Amino acid sequence: MTTGLRPGGHPQDPRQRGSQPLPRQEGVGPDTPHVENRTGRSVITARAAASFEPVGRSVATARSFVRDTLQGWGFADIVDDAVVLTSELVTNAVVHAGTAAEVLCLRSDDGVRIEVADRYPEREIPLQSSAVNMGSPDREGGRGLQLCAALAGRWGVEYTPTHKQVWFQLELPERPVGTRAAGPSLPAHLLPLADGRVRVAVVQIDRTGTITAWNEDSEDLFGYAAEQVTGKPLTDLAAWPHTPGTGTGIAEALQLSRWEGSYGIRGADGRVIPVYASHLRVRDTAGEPSTVCLLVRDHERAVLQTPLRGNVADTGTAQDGHVPDPFEVFIGSPAPDDLDGLLQRTVERARDMLDGDAAFLLLATDDETELEVRASTGLPSARQRFARVPVDAGPGRYGSARMPAVHDDLAAVPGAVPLLGGTGMRSVVTVPLKVEGRLTGSLGVAAESPSQYSNEEALRLQFAADRIALAVESARLGELERLRRGSLSFLVEASDLLAGTLDRDQTLALMAQMTIPTLATWCAVYTIADQASEPYLSYVLHEDEERIDGLKALLSKIAPPEPIPTPGARVWTAPAEAAHQAALRTSMRSLGLGEPPSLGSGIGTTLATAAAVGGETVVLPLVARNRVIGMLTLGKPTDEHFRQEILELAEDLSRRAALALDNARLYSERTAISQSLQRSLLPPELPHIDGVEVEVIYRAAGEGNEVGGDFYDLFPIRDGAYGFAIGDVCGTGPEAAAVTGLARHALRLLAREGFGGPAVLERLNSAILDEGARSRFLTLLYGELWPQEDGSALLKVVCAGHPLPLRLRQDGSVEPAAEPQPLLGVMEDLELYEQTVTLDPGDVLLCVTDGVTERREGTRMLGDDGLAEVLTTCTGLTAGAVASRIMRAVERFASDAPSDDMAILAMRVPGLPKD
């Protein structure tokens, strides 16, 4: 069901757009349908409309809609007839005709008109001039029209090409003119008790609260003569009850335009006399305000007390004799399950009940210091939703939302209700929602005309507010609990995502993506490299990807927010102001009123981008390890604000994100340092050797490692001579890399000093042993290379505990090119020797570390034989192709990532070029 409600004016029938009414049936008696247009002399003062789906339950929903509407208008006398007729007509539409039904209720000064329309275009339009015979009352068909004829004062049927409409009008019962309130006749013993002579004290108070007039009944009641009290503040005599949560004293009550209630007056004998008072604020011809107080003894309050207007449901009973629940009468049945639905229906019912043009409902925040708008009707909801006002400067007239208040004319008191500023509303009545003495919200109804409401309407609205306060508070607490659970789930998921990466850029992206659109419409992250650096715009995200570039351009043109370490969100107005100025300039240029933009600057931010960032913007500091490392900026589109729950959730997220971002920064810095040191352990580049192709492939095990326990080197020794080495230090990681650096630099130094291969390795062995407990054993293949004029190459090789080098000949045969000798770093006295190898043109020398030969898949291992088998397939390939094929074979041998460092050194003698 969809409903709409608008008081005042002549409504336009939505079913008559673009169509002309066809001939109608007319009649004047029970045997002839009677049709009458909406009279021009009747002023329609309120309108309620609803649509119902073609399902069986819509009939009951339509009955509830009509009942609630008429009861809200105060027409309890005709509710039963209206509900019966509506039920029959809606049944005809949704059950028998099988189409949707539209119900329209119109209130005028002489009655209520209800129209029920359905869509049944297939039915022929009846054109007839004779009266219609409805047949027997026992017949199923036509019963709805018979009831209309029997119950309604006027009724009729209208047809258009797309609709059939049945309407009826119920007249209001006549009431005695001039009667405002009346009570039933009661036996004498039930009448209110009073003294033999009822004394009504009349006291006049000036604008400062000082007594200026004191009548004789006041002297009789309280024992003070007029000259004793004139000029004294009434507060000296009043014993005001201090009720927790009211926030109103005698001084505040005297400032109200009208007030009624109980308090005490201290008599001349010192006793407190309970009184019932009615205060009325007036002004004299000079415009000076004063308050007239009428007081009687409290047990005689019936003399002054305004009769409470009972709820319409209190005066009637249901057909089964059960009095309906006042909550259901006001809200309707069934009540919405969600808080927003309940609040929206509340403001709509409140508006209808008081014939207002707008209504709003505010709920207290968790700390109950502020009220935020949660539902409204007749107001610009996009601007008002979640707007906040302090409780002590809330929608009430005199600075507090804790008591009812009535404003006769907001134009006379500008800014009295900031919520209604610029809305065109002139008069307003507001009442508090309280649960167990706590202020939980405020309900208000406003009208465009002044002096629309009095204290009587305030009492009616307060009566309704008291009925719904508990239900609203229960729904609010339920929503708050769901939000807290959702917030916890959100934070847990966010923590997992942030903990899953140590990459700075990815952390920035995650931080922004988690906030959009859950917390905000757009997000910008500023980072600060160090305390001397300015904030830098690092990441920008908008829920609409087309707005990101414009948003980034806008933010880059304004100064970043101040990096203040104070926790919590603070409002940042610069983006909205810049967006407004950019939109203004763009609009002026489009009209030819502004200067054309300079070349290269463009037209600035588009209107769409300006609207996207024109709402509230908040900044949350990113603080980690007692230092501000950045700012998280969240924004809303035009006229939208953040809820306090969202800001608290964003603050929790910012703390987690700041720590994750700082961890990523530290990890990046340490990784950069580690990689820089590791790169120094590898040769900067391989030298070019005439007549020899050389290719190296190196893979270090472990994440973030560029150098491990395996190493290689190729360097010139002297003219025409080159040294090469490939080794493997026991272990992996930084400890092995330290021995790698020692070995590589020692080899170069000793080789260039003229030492031969065995001498170089023996001295390196001593250096490793000198490291003591930090030493690690080392396998090493070291050789010296001399390219020859005939296209061959001469090698002298020492293999100290290392996998043997393999020689691939042109015929595809593979053989070891050296013999095994003891490894380094174990024994002090080593006797090593070198072996001479000649590589003929087309031969390949392959040197690898044990990470290649010991590659495993389960119990299988590649081994020396597997490596030799792969090498036999490399005949005729270049050195680079040979190394690549070996690496592919190693990687494909097992599915798991390698757990050991790997190095491959391939050298090929291509031979002399042919003439």
Side-chain angles (χ1 to χ4, degrees):
M1 180 188 78
T2 59
T3 63
L5 197 62
R6 182 179 65 81
H10 287 276
Q12 179 177 350
D13 189 349
R15 298 180 292 279
Q16 296 179 359
R17 293 192 298 265
S19 64
Q20 295 293 329
L22 295 179
R24 299 165 300 194
Q25 300 175 347
E26 297 188 359
V28 293
D31 296 329
T32 58
H34 174 68
V35 177
E36 181 175 291
N37 284 328
R38 300 170 193 169
T39 61
R41 59 181 178 82
S42 299
V43 177
I44 296 175
T45 57
R47 172 183 182 272
S51 299
F52 302 93
E53 298 297 326
V55 292
R57 64 174 180 274
S58 293
V59 179
T61 309
R63 288 197 297 265
S64 298
F65 164 70
V66 172
R67 179 183 292 109
D68 294 343
T69 300
L70 298 188
Q71 287 176 340
W73 290 346
F75 296 156
D77 298 328
I78 60 175
V79 165
D80 291 339
D81 290 347
V83 168
V84 170
L85 295 178
T86 303
S87 179
E88 288 293 330
L89 297 180
V90 173
T91 300
N92 291 339
V94 302
V95 176
H96 300 307
T99 72
E102 297 176 0
V103 179
L104 177 64
C105 301
L106 300 173
R107 184 186 66 185
S108 63
D109 52 0
D110 58 353
V112 173
R113 171 175 170 136
I114 298 178
E115 301 175 358
V116 179
D118 61 53
R119 300 181 180 89
Y120 201 4
E122 297 84 356
R123 177 174 295 177
E124 295 182 357
I125 300 173
L127 299 175
Q128 58 189 35
S129 57
S130 60
V132 178
N133 183 12
M134 296 184 183
S136 171
D138 298 328
R139 188 165 58 89
E140 183 68 21
R143 182 177 298 169
L145 300 182
Q146 288 181 319
L147 287 174
C148 287
L151 299 179
R154 293 189 294 274
W155 65 279
V157 183
E158 297 180 5
Y159 284 92
T160 69
T162 58
H163 289 80
K164 183 194 75 174
Q165 175 184 296
V166 180
W167 63 270
F168 60 88
Q169 182 158 338
L170 300 174
E171 307 297 337
L172 298 178
E174 294 185 1
R175 293 186 174 87
V177 178
T179 301
R180 181 177 180 273
S185 299
L186 296 176
H189 68 278
L190 296 179
L191 295 174
L193 180 65
D195 292 341
R197 176 192 169 196
V198 176
R199 294 174 176 82
V200 179
V202 180
V203 182
Q204 192 161 0
I205 315 295
D206 65 12
R207 66 188 310 165
T208 64
T210 302
I211 299 174
T212 59
W214 185 270
N215 71 341
E216 294 181 358
D217 282 353
S218 301
E219 296 182 11
D220 292 340
L221 283 174
F222 310 122
Y224 297 105
E227 57 271 13
Q228 291 180 276
V229 295
T230 302
K232 292 184 178 181
L234 181 63
T235 53
D236 291 351
L237 305 180
W240 191 260
H242 296 282
T243 304
T246 60
T248 305
I250 180 63
E252 289 80 10
L254 292 175
Q255 297 297 317
L256 299 179
S257 61
R258 183 179 293 275
W259 185 89
E260 191 173 314
S262 300
Y263 54 92
I265 296 292
R266 295 183 181 88
D269 57 1
R271 294 181 302 154
V272 174
I273 301 171
V275 297
Y276 190 85
S278 175
H279 298 175
L280 177 65
R281 194 159 170 79
V282 298
R283 60 187 174 92
D284 58 23
T285 56
E288 288 295 321
S290 62
T291 302
V292 177
C293 304
L294 305 180
L295 304 96
V296 297
R297 296 180 184 274
D298 190 64
H299 66 272
E300 298 172 341
R301 63 170 57 201
V303 176
L304 297 179
Q305 188 173 23
T306 302
L308 293 177
R309 177 183 293 186
N311 188 283
V312 292
D314 296 338
T315 61
T317 58
Q319 295 181 358
D320 58 358
H322 175 68
V323 178
D325 182 5
F327 172 79
E328 292 186 359
V329 171
F330 181 69
I331 294 298
S333 180
D337 295 331
D338 62 301
L339 177 61
D340 289 336
L342 176 61
L343 299 182
Q344 192 61 36
R345 187 178 291 186
T346 297
V347 296
E348 292 173 355
R349 294 292 190 269
R351 179 194 61 184
D352 301 342
M353 184 177 70
L354 299 187
D355 301 338
D357 297 307
F360 54 89
L361 192 148
L362 301 90
L363 288 186
T365 55
D366 287 347
D367 55 7
E368 298 183 1
T369 60
E370 290 183 308
L371 299 171
E372 64 177 3
V373 181
R374 291 298 303 273
S376 64
T377 181
L379 297 175
S381 58
R383 179 165 66 89
Q384 302 291 348
R385 187 165 173 80
F386 301 125
R388 294 199 167 200
V389 292
V391 168
D392 292 331
R397 181 190 293 186
Y398 296 104
S400 176
R402 302 182 186 276
M403 57 184 299
V406 178
H407 280 283
D408 295 328
D409 192 353
L410 293 177
V413 192
V417 184
L419 187 64
L420 300 179
T423 61
M425 300 299 159
R426 295 287 297 276
S427 55
V428 61
V429 54
T430 61
V431 296
L433 275 69
K434 292 185 178 181
V435 176
E436 297 179 352
R438 295 185 302 106
L439 179 69
T440 61
S442 178
L443 176 63
V445 178
E448 295 178 353
S449 57
S451 303
Q452 182 79 10
Y453 304 113
S454 64
N455 282 2
E456 185 175 354
E457 281 74 23
L459 290 173
R460 293 180 60 196
L461 190 61
Q462 186 67 71
F463 181 85
D466 293 341
R467 297 301 187 273
I468 66 169
L470 185 60
V472 169
E473 179 66 3
S474 177
R476 186 185 74 88
L477 293 177
E479 180 194 65
L480 185 60
E481 180 64 21
R482 290 191 296 272
L483 287 175
R484 286 175 176 169
R485 290 182 180 179
S487 299
L488 289 176
S489 300
F490 173 78
L491 291 175
V492 168
E493 182 179 357
S495 299
D496 290 342
L497 290 173
L498 292 171
T501 179
L502 288 172
D503 182 82
R504 177 181 176 275
D505 293 337
Q506 189 174 0
T507 301
L508 289 172
L510 284 174
M511 190 188 312
Q513 291 168 5
M514 285 185 294
T515 60
I516 307 299
T518 305
L519 305 182
T521 304
W522 62 269
C523 169
V525 183
Y526 291 85
T527 56
I528 303 175
D530 52 63
Q531 295 182 354
S533 302
E534 291 293 326
Y536 175 74
L537 183 61
S538 298
Y539 201 91
V540 176
L541 186 65
H542 194 284
E543 64 179 5
D544 185 354
E545 294 183 358
E546 296 181 356
R547 303 281 181 263
I548 295 177
D549 292 339
L551 176 59
K552 187 179 298 183
L554 175 69
L555 294 177
S556 62
K557 294 177 182 178
I558 62 177
E562 190 71 19
I564 300 176
T566 305
R570 69 180 191 275
V571 177
W572 186 32
T573 59
E577 294 172 355
H580 176 74
Q581 294 298 325
L584 181 61
R585 289 193 300 269
T586 301
S587 299
M588 293 180 66
R589 288 168 184 165
S590 65
L591 297 173
L593 301 177
E595 297 182 359
S598 59
L599 294 177
S601 63
I603 64 172
T605 308
T606 63
L607 292 174
T609 302
V613 301
E616 187 176 46
T617 302
V618 296
V619 178
L620 297 105
L622 299 175
V623 181
R625 298 175 176 89
N626 299 322
R627 186 174 73 87
V628 180
I629 63 171
M631 285 87 70
L632 176 64
T633 304
L634 304 177
K636 287 281 190 179
T638 301
D639 293 335
E640 289 197 17
H641 300 269
F642 287 96
R643 295 181 59 186
Q644 185 63 28
E645 294 81 2
I646 296 297
L647 294 180
E648 292 173 357
L649 183 58
E651 185 177 356
D652 284 341
L653 176 64
S654 67
R655 287 195 292 266
R656 290 165 168 79
L659 188 59
L661 184 61
D662 198 46
N663 289 338
R665 178 187 63 83
L666 293 175
Y667 178 78
S668 299
E669 291 178 356
R670 294 182 181 181
T671 299
I673 294 172
S674 174
Q675 291 176 348
S676 177
L677 293 174
Q678 291 181 51
R679 292 190 192 101
S680 67
L681 302 179
L682 295 176
E685 59 182 6
L686 295 177
H688 175 72
I689 303 176
D690 293 334
V692 179
E693 297 176 358
V694 180
E695 182 65 28
V696 174
I697 296 180
Y698 184 85
R699 297 284 189 274
E703 182 179 358
N705 292 330
E706 294 193 12
V707 177
D710 292 6
F711 69 95
Y712 67 92
D713 203 358
L714 180 64
F715 55 91
I717 299 176
R718 63 186 74 88
D719 292 341
Y722 297 86
F724 66 91
I726 183 169
D728 185 3
V729 179
C730 175
T732 60
E735 294 82 1
V739 180
T740 297
L742 171 65
R744 194 177 71 81
H745 291 92
L747 287 175
R748 288 195 173 208
L749 178 62
L750 294 173
R752 288 171 178 172
E753 288 296 324
F755 293 97
V760 169
L761 267 62
E762 289 170 0
R763 285 166 173 75
L764 176 60
N765 181 62
S766 299
I768 294 174
L769 292 175
D770 289 343
E771 290 292 310
R774 295 183 300 173
S775 65
R776 291 169 176 260
F777 62 81
L778 168 68
T779 66
L780 180 64
L781 172 65
Y782 175 74
E784 296 179 357
L785 169 67
W786 288 271
Q788 303 298 309
E789 294 181 356
D790 60 357
S792 62
L794 179 65
L795 289 80
K796 292 184 178 180
V797 182
V798 180
C799 186
H802 199 77
L804 301 179
L806 300 179
R807 176 181 180 179
L808 171 65
R809 297 182 181 273
Q810 291 191 27
D811 59 3
S813 60
V814 175
E815 61 183 11
E819 296 178 354
Q821 300 184 57
L823 50 79
L824 308 181
V826 178
M827 298 179 294
E828 295 184 358
D829 297 328
L830 290 180
E831 295 183 0
L832 303 176
Y833 59 91
E834 60 183 9
Q835 296 174 272
T836 302
V837 179
T838 300
L839 295 181
D840 296 327
D843 289 356
V844 175
L845 183 69
L846 177 66
C847 308
V848 301
T849 58
D850 60 3
V852 174
T853 57
E854 294 180 0
R855 176 71 164 152
R856 295 180 179 275
E857 173 68 19
T859 59
R860 298 186 307 116
M861 186 172 70
L862 180 61
D864 296 334
D865 295 338
L867 179 62
E869 184 178 349
V870 175
L871 185 58
T872 57
T873 65
C874 299
T875 304
L877 300 180
T878 64
V882 171
S884 298
R885 179 168 292 186
I886 297 299
M887 179 55 71
R888 284 198 303 270
V890 173
E891 291 175 343
R892 293 173 179 175
F893 186 79
S895 58
D896 296 337
S899 59
D900 196 3
D901 304 328
M902 292 186 294
I904 299 174
L905 172 61
M907 294 183 291
R908 178 176 179 268
V909 181
L912 296 175
K914 297 181 179 180
D915 296 335

